[in-house]
Amino acid sequence: MSSGNWRAPDLSRRWWPVFLRNLLVWRKLAIPSLVGNIAEPLMWLVAFGYGMGALVGQVRFEGREVPYIVFLASGSICMSAMNAASFEALYSAFSRMHVQRTWDGIMNAPVSLDNIVLAETLWAAFKSFFTVTAILCVMLALGISHSPKLLVAWLVLLGAGVTFSSIALIFNALARSYDFFTYYFTLLLTPMMFLSGVFFPREQLPGPVRAVSEWLPLTSAVELVRPLFLDQWPAHPLRHVLVLLATTIVAYLVALVLTRRRFGV
């Protein structure tokens, strides 16, 4: 890999037209896209939250008993942020980059590849944010939580979307076909989903596995959002914010370097 690929990001406000272009194209399909993005997480919530929740009843969280439906909802909305950002930064971004060659066309204008990667990162995060906002509205309508602190959770979920879109763009830069993304979902997202406390308390995990799960970005998102659903403040907010921030910066820079290598710029 050329050392020139590791130069500092060359960014300007020209990422905005790329972001706006994606928004204008997506606007025509906004409703079907929204339905598709929220249907699966709501099925998880109904099946596990109300179905299994009737069997489980209460789970212990930070020294208190909480309804399983609230425990699951606060974790599953973080999982939805992860999935929505990942799908957009993988399948849709790969289509624009490799199949449709949209990125090549954009680079014929005075827009750098670095600005395109930034725009794709923020666009995938926006799609994720749009999805979790809709899911959060449904949760409010179901009376799962009415905590005023959900406004803070909303912002945390936006940050989580940026984190996971940055990670996904690494795999986008490496992919030669859509099949490659199976590795990302099978080897990264699925284990993270089960190890990060989405469905059950992480205290149930073996000690070494729990120690590893402490540093997963989804764990940090869940640990920040779940107390807010319960109208509490997170126990260690700075640590979890730093994990998300560090993961985002490193993942974005790696994605940028790999994308430069792919395009030879």
Side-chain angles (χ1 to χ4, degrees), residues 18-92:
V18 183
F19 181 97
L20 185 60
R21 178 261 171 206
N22 290 344
L23 176 64
L24 293 174
V25 171
W26 171 77
R27 189 174 60 178
K28 304 173 184 177
L29 304 170
I31 300 302
S33 174
L34 176 62
V35 172
N37 284 333
I38 70 172
E40 182 179 355
L42 290 179
M43 289 179 189
W44 281 95
L45 184 62
V46 171
F48 283 87
Y50 290 104
M52 186 178 293
L55 301 174
V56 175
Q58 307 274 323
V59 295
R60 194 161 189 82
F61 176 70
E62 294 187 352
R64 59 179 284 197
E65 299 291 325
V66 301
Y68 183 70
I69 183 68
V70 179
F71 183 90
L72 177 65
S74 56
S76 64
I77 198 168
C78 297
M79 181 181 70
S80 297
M82 175 182 73
N83 287 336
S86 297
F87 270 100
E88 182 64 28
L90 291 174
Y91 291 98
S92 298

Side-chain angles (χ1 to χ4, degrees), residues 137-230:
C137 289
V138 174
M139 290 180 177
L140 288 169
L142 293 174
I144 292 174
S145 175
H146 291 110
S147 169
K149 295 182 176 66
L150 289 179
L151 289 174
V152 180
W154 199 41
L155 297 177
V156 172
L157 292 167
L158 173 60
V162 178
T163 299
F164 287 106
S165 61
S166 300
I167 297 171
L169 283 172
I170 295 175
F171 286 78
N172 177 65
L174 295 171
R176 290 295 177 264
S177 70
Y178 294 109
D179 294 335
F180 183 79
F181 300 142
T182 303
Y183 296 109
Y184 178 74
F185 285 99
T186 304
L187 301 178
L188 189 62
L189 288 201
T190 300
M192 200 183 307
M193 183 175 66
F194 287 111
L195 297 178
S196 298
V198 173
F199 300 106
F200 55 85
R202 289 188 305 108
E203 288 72 20
Q204 307 299 320
L205 296 170
V209 178
R210 187 168 65 249
V212 172
S213 73
E214 288 280 351
W215 301 100
L216 297 176
L218 182 58
T219 296
S220 292
V222 172
E223 292 292 331
L224 288 170
V225 169
R226 181 163 286 142
L228 300 172
F229 264 72
L230 298 168

